């Protein structure tokens, strides 16, 4: 994996320890038996460098500093047009075309692979595994033997399917794709996750081929063709550190303990079928060029490329930086980190040779009101970013365009600016949805009404707001369609003093209902079809509203299934609404019981007057009194059939007759 690096590790370790004060266990910064003062900056503006002495000092300083107080290490994970095409069945809805993402359901047109939840109830105890369901020639379904994981204690994070190989990513540790990891260098916590490869040429008899176990916590994964990209975070464990050292004696002992540890001992490793090897040498890790000898950060971020056909073919790159989000195009990967909560730094990696390229920063942060994965986009080498500056009141939303110059990502344009002063959003409005589509960016802001802004990026050096539309409600997710149409999924807000735009259909399962909510309160799921062919005058053509309901698509785009053929679109996504019911176990009190179903929609984009058509719902009756989280509901559309996956079960229905449901299987 790394050639003759192992043979050189002893030499590097000796040189690096010499840079930290030699093998005496002391450092030139330690005087009069006083421990050093170490800074833990939240981030740096500027490039990263490979510098053996600086790298070891920076990482070990970070380990030492983390032993003095409880520290949070920010971890990161996931991200222009969708990956659906003219295939005969729908696939995982992704952010970037050509870049696959892990999900709990994968399908090859004949066999479904479903990541089963573990069940640990008194009545049923079964570990997480992969359910295999065969679709037969007569469209019936047959359950095949489940595929077990190498470790029954693992939970499945997600799966991939490439040709006849299935990849399962699992962990016994909680996964933090875009959250905070609080792990201290002295905590004996086994930070590990697994990537297991199966040969599914014969779905009746899947064969386990390779098992990779990584040190660290999984941040995010992507797949392009047969190449799997895994980003992970690792905080070194050092035995003997005094937690929360307070006295100079304890601090000095910790410091001497840290600098006396070999560099190999603090680096993450990967176990391939029982053979352990280092993922990188410490000397190969990148650290901020601007870091001084008094700075330090303990977290090691590693990005590994794995050949799915031959998992021993790997290449990795490591850096000691913060990262809370990963965006990947077909050419590049960008890791985003926050700097004092005021700026967002980006580190660019080329996928061609897994090499560090450049770093840069923009003002503002990728706010969390809407999915930050859609706020970053690479096009023709330009990085376009939507951020929010919360240091002023009201907050300011802005677009920044960056380009690589040497090892720097430099700003070439921003919006608003002196020549284009129009604000993105009205005062007090948050960003609820963003979508980059070719040479446009679409942004939804909301406080009382839903302005949809269209930003022209045909000239990346001179962006401008081309048009906007104000309607009641808001979209939390935007999906591009052919022929100048855009689908929006979100919530309806009824404002009597606002004029309507387009025709609205209100549905409650199969019945028309009236809507009478309080002002500015979301009162139902709303699906809108926008005409964006004239960027200066976007129009909401039609909308469909499900009263007192929501769809997980509002916060998880993978819950949406799309099948398109020659401009005709079929959409399916789960919906949950509450229905009042009598609870006999609680003195006949009326309680709200969730009702779950899969809503079906269609759009013919070639029509002279395109409309969004609601076709009905595939209902799923829970076979358990336990609540099942609808955010993991999935579906597959194939031909005239639709398959609804909820929990560990699947329901089947004809597209033309969704009320006639078979299942659960």
């Amino acid at each position: 994996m790394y050639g003759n690096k192992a043979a050189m590790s002893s030499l590097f370790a000796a040189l690096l320890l010499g840079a930290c004060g030699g093998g005496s266990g002391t450092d030139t910064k330690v005087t009069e038996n006083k421990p050093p003062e170490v800074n833990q900056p939240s981030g740096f503006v500027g490039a990263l460098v490979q510098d053996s002495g600086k790298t070891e000092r920076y990482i070990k300083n970070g380990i030492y500093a983390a032993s003095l107080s409880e520290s949070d290490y920010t971890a990161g994970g996931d991200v222009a047009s969708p990956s659906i095409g003219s295939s005969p069945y729908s696939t995982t809805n992704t952010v970037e075309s050509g870049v696959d993402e892990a999900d709990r359901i994968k399908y090859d047109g004949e066999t479904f692979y479903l990541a089963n939840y573990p069940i640990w109830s008194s009545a049923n105890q079964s570990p997480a595994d992969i359910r295999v369901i065969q679709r037969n020639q007569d469209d019936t379904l047959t359950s095949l033997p489940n595929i077990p994981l190498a470790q029954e204690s693992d939970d499945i994070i997600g799966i991939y399917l490439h040709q006849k190989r299935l990849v399962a990513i699992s962990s016994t540790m909680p996964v933090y794709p875009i959250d905070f990891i609080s792990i201290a260098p002295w905590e004996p916590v086994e930070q590990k996750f697994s990537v297991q490869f199966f040969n599914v040429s014969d779905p009746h008899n899947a064969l386990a081929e390779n098992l990779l176990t990584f040190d660290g916590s999984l941040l995010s994964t992507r797949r392009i063709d047969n190449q799997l990209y895994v980003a992970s975070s690792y905080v070194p464990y050092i035995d003997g550190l005094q937690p929360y050292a307070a006295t100079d004696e304890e601090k000095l002992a910790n410091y001497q303990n840290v600098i006396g540890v070999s560099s190999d001992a603090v680096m993450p490793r990967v176990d391939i079928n029982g053979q352990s090897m280092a993922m990188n040498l410490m000397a190969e890790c990148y650290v901020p060029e601007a870091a001084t000898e008094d700075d330090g950060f303990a977290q090691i971020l590693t990005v590994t490329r794995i050949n799915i056909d031959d998992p021993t073919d790997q290449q990795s790159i490591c850096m000691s930086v913060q990262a809370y989000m990963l965006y990947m195009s077909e050419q590049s990967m960008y890791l985003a980190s926050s700097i004092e909560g005021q700026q967002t730094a980006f580190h660019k990696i080329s996928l061609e040779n897994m090499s560090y390229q450049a770093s840069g920063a923009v003002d503002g942060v990728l706010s969390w009101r809407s999915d930050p994965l859609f706020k970053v986009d690479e096009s023709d080498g330009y990085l376009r970013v939507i951020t929010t500056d919360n240091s002023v009141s009201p907050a300011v939303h802005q677009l920044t365009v960056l380009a690589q110059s040497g090892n720097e990502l430099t700003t070439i344009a921003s919006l608003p600016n002196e020549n284009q002063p129009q604000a993105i959003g009205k005062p007090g409005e948050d960003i609820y949805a963003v979508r980059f589509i070719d040479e446009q960016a679409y942004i939804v802001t909301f406080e009382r009404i839903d302005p949809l802004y269209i930003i022209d990026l045909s000239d990346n050096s001179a962006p401008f707001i081309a048009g906007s539309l104000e309607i009641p409600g808001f979209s939390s997710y935007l999906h591009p369609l052919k022929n100048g149409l855009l689908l929006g999924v979100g919530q309806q807000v009824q404002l009597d003093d606002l004029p309507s735009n387009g025709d609205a259909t209100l549905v409650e399962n199969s019945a028309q209902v009236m809507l009478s909510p309080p002002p500015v309160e979301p009162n139902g799921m709303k699906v809108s079809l926008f005409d964006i062919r004239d960027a200066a005058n976007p129009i909401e053509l039609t909308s469909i509203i499900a009263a007192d309901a929501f769809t997980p698509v509002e916060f998880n785009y993978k819950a949406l299934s799309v099948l398109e053929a020659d401009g005709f679109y079929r959409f399916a996504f789960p919906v949950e609404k509450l229905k009042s019911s009598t609870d006999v176990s609680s003195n006949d009190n009326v309680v709200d019981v969730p009702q779950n179903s899969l809503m079906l929609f269609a759009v013919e984009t070639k029509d002279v007057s395109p409309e969004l058509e609601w076709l009905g719902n595939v209902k799923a009756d829970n076979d358990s009194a336990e609540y099942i989280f609808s955010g993991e509901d999935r579906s597959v559309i194939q031909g005239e059939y639709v398959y609804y996956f909820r929990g560990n079960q699947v329901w089947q229905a004809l597209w033309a007759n969704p009320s006639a449901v078979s299942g659960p299987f």
Side-chain angles (χ1 to χ4, degrees):
M1 180 170 63
Y2 54 89
N4 62 354
K5 296 176 186 174
M8 301 177 64
S9 62
S10 297
L11 174 60
F12 272 117
L15 292 174
L16 297 180
L17 286 174
C20 284
S24 62
T26 62
D27 190 272
T28 54
K29 296 190 299 178
V30 182
T31 59
E32 299 178 355
N33 293 324
K34 293 289 186 180
E37 297 293 332
V38 175
N39 305 317
Q40 294 189 90
S42 64
F44 286 92
V45 175
L48 306 178
V49 294
Q50 284 180 318
D51 182 320
S52 59
K54 172 175 282 192
T55 297
E56 179 150 352
R57 183 186 296 276
Y58 185 69
I59 293 174
K60 288 189 173 182
N61 276 354
I63 297 172
Y64 161 71
S67 72
L68 308 184
S69 60
E70 191 170 4
S71 302
D72 285 336
Y73 296 98
T74 312
D78 283 298
V79 263
S81 59
S83 63
I84 57 103
S86 57
S87 61
Y89 53 89
S90 60
T91 58
T92 300
N93 185 32
T94 65
V95 177
E96 185 69 34
S97 178
V99 182
D100 192 18
E101 303 176 26
D103 200 10
R104 70 179 303 248
I105 177 73
K106 294 293 180 178
Y107 183 52
D108 62 5
E110 297 178 353
T111 308
F112 299 98
Y113 298 92
L114 174 67
N116 270 347
Y117 302 133
I119 300 175
W120 303 115
S121 65
S122 57
N124 186 3
Q125 298 186 14
S126 58
D129 57 12
I130 300 172
R131 189 178 179 197
V132 185
I133 305 170
Q134 184 75 52
R135 182 176 184 265
N136 304 313
Q137 290 295 323
D138 61 357
D139 296 311
T140 59
L141 299 179
T142 301
S143 291
L144 303 184
N146 288 12
I147 302 175
L149 299 180
Q151 299 184 125
E152 287 191 352
S153 58
D154 278 8
D155 287 342
I156 299 175
I157 299 165
I159 58 177
Y160 286 99
L161 182 64
H162 175 66
Q163 296 179 352
K164 293 302 180 180
R165 280 188 167 82
L166 183 73
V167 182
I169 303 166
S170 62
S171 174
T172 56
M173 288 281 292
V175 179
Y176 302 87
I178 313 180
D179 283 319
F180 294 99
I181 297 177
S182 180
I183 300 174
W186 62 82
E187 292 181 339
V189 177
E190 187 178 41
Q191 307 170 59
K192 291 185 182 295
F193 64 92
S194 298
V195 181
Q196 193 165 357
F197 298 81
F198 301 92
N199 187 322
V200 290
S201 298
D202 178 8
H204 294 78
N205 184 29
L207 301 176
E209 290 189 325
N210 293 277
L211 174 64
L212 278 59
T213 303
F214 291 83
D215 286 345
S217 300
L218 180 69
L219 305 183
S220 189
T221 62
R222 298 289 189 277
R223 181 188 66 85
I224 298 179
D225 296 326
N226 69 332
Q227 300 298 318
L228 178 67
Y229 298 86
V230 178
S232 58
S233 171
Y234 178 72
V235 179
Y237 167 69
I238 295 181
D239 191 21
L241 289 186
Q242 173 66 41
Y244 315 119
T247 67
D248 285 352
E249 182 180 9
E250 291 174 337
K251 293 178 181 179
L252 183 58
N254 276 0
Y255 186 71
Q256 292 174 336
N257 189 349
V258 170
I259 66 171
V261 174
S262 70
S263 60
D264 287 348
V266 298
M267 295 299 292
R269 302 178 69 83
V270 58
D271 184 290
I272 304 177
N273 299 325
Q275 298 295 319
S276 178
M277 61 182 66
M279 298 167 69
N280 294 97
L281 294 176
M282 183 179 285
E284 297 172 327
C285 285
Y286 288 85
V287 296
E289 187 175 32
T292 71
E293 66 176 20
D294 296 323
D295 295 324
F297 187 58
Q299 186 178 12
I300 299 171
L301 186 66
T302 305
V303 179
T304 306
R305 177 201 57 77
I306 306 171
N307 186 336
I308 294 176
D309 297 323
D310 178 13
T312 62
D313 174 16
Q314 299 183 17
Q315 186 179 6
S316 63
I317 182 173
C318 68
M319 51 192 68
S320 185
V321 296
Q322 290 181 320
Y324 67 87
M325 198 200 75
L326 180 154
Y327 163 80
M328 198 170 106
S329 68
E330 291 186 274
Q331 295 77 38
S332 308
M333 177 184 294
Y334 293 87
L335 299 166
S337 60
S338 176
I339 302 174
E340 305 296 338
Q342 303 297 323
Q343 290 182 298
T344 301
F346 289 93
H347 306 293
K348 178 181 179 181
I349 297 173
S350 169
L351 300 181
E352 182 178 1
N353 54 8
M354 288 296 290
S355 62
Y356 166 74
Q357 294 292 300
S359 298
V362 300
D363 291 334
V365 296
L366 302 170
S367 60
W368 295 92
R369 168 68 74 175
S370 57
D371 195 332
L373 308 181
F374 290 95
K375 296 179 181 179
V376 182
D377 175 75
E378 184 185 59
S379 177
D380 296 327
Y382 292 98
L383 180 66
R384 294 98 68 96
V385 184
I386 304 291
T387 56
T388 300
D389 184 357
N390 293 309
S391 66
V392 295
S393 183
V396 174
H397 310 300
Q398 53 205 13
L399 163 74
T400 306
V401 182
L402 303 97
Q404 182 176 346
S405 176
N407 62 358
E408 295 184 357
L409 297 173
T410 60
T411 298
I412 65 168
S414 61
L415 191 72
N417 56 51
E418 184 176 344
N419 296 325
Q420 299 288 337
Q422 181 182 352
I424 301 173
K426 295 179 174 59
E429 290 182 340
D430 284 328
I431 292 178
Y432 274 64
V434 175
R435 196 75 193 234
F436 288 92
I437 307 172
D438 299 326
E439 296 181 343
Q440 283 79 35
Y442 300 85
I443 304 175
V444 172
T445 62
F446 175 77
E447 186 184 35
R448 289 179 56 82
I449 57 175
D450 173 3
L452 170 65
Y453 293 90
I454 301 179
I455 297 179
D456 190 302
L457 285 162
S458 55
D459 181 354
N460 279 286
S461 64
F464 63 92
I465 296 177
S468 62
L469 169 68
E470 294 185 357
I471 55 174
F474 58 85
S475 295
S476 299
Y477 173 76
L478 300 173
H479 194 92
L481 281 66
K482 290 182 177 179
N483 302 316
L485 299 180
L486 181 70
L487 187 78
V489 181
Q491 287 284 312
Q492 166 71 1
V493 171
Q494 185 75 16
L495 295 174
D496 295 334
D497 57 346
L498 285 181
S500 61
N501 184 312
D503 300 322
T505 301
L506 284 67
V507 304
E508 182 178 13
N509 294 331
S510 61
Q512 299 288 320
V513 299
M514 296 301 294
L515 198 63
S516 57
V520 201
E521 286 292 332
N523 50 68
M525 182 202 73
K526 180 180 182 181
V527 186
S528 299
L529 182 65
F530 299 101
D531 183 342
I532 54 175
R533 286 170 286 193
D534 181 0
N537 297 285
I539 301 171
E540 184 186 46
L541 296 173
T542 58
S543 64
I544 294 176
I545 300 164
D548 301 320
F550 77 91
T551 171
V553 176
E554 297 173 39
F555 54 84
N556 187 343
Y557 55 91
K558 294 178 185 177
L560 173 68
S561 292
V562 186
L563 185 62
E564 180 267 329
D566 196 28
F568 178 73
Y569 285 82
R570 289 178 172 180
F571 300 96
F573 52 76
V575 174
E576 179 170 311
K577 66 178 300 175
L578 297 178
K579 180 179 180 180
S580 296
S581 178
T582 301
D583 184 4
V584 295
S585 65
S586 57
N587 298 322
D588 294 336
N589 290 333
V590 176
V591 296
D592 289 331
V593 178
Q595 284 190 329
N596 298 93
S597 61
L598 188 74
M599 293 192 77
L600 309 182
F601 301 91
V603 176
E604 174 56 82
T605 64
K606 288 185 176 181
D607 284 349
V608 176
S609 300
E611 292 187 356
L612 181 67
E613 182 183 4
W614 171 63
L615 301 177
N617 291 40
V618 179
K619 294 183 180 180
D621 295 324
N622 296 336
D623 63 349
S624 169
E626 298 178 359
Y627 175 73
I628 300 175
F629 176 51
S630 60
E632 296 298 325
D633 286 6
R634 296 292 186 267
S635 61
V636 172
I637 308 168
Q638 183 174 23
E640 296 306 313
Y641 284 87
V642 59
Y643 303 90
Y644 179 24
F645 295 84
R646 176 163 172 76
N648 294 338
Q649 298 176 315
V650 57
W651 286 257
Q652 178 189 40
L654 281 168
W655 181 265
N657 186 20
S659 61
V661 182
S662 300
F665 297 96

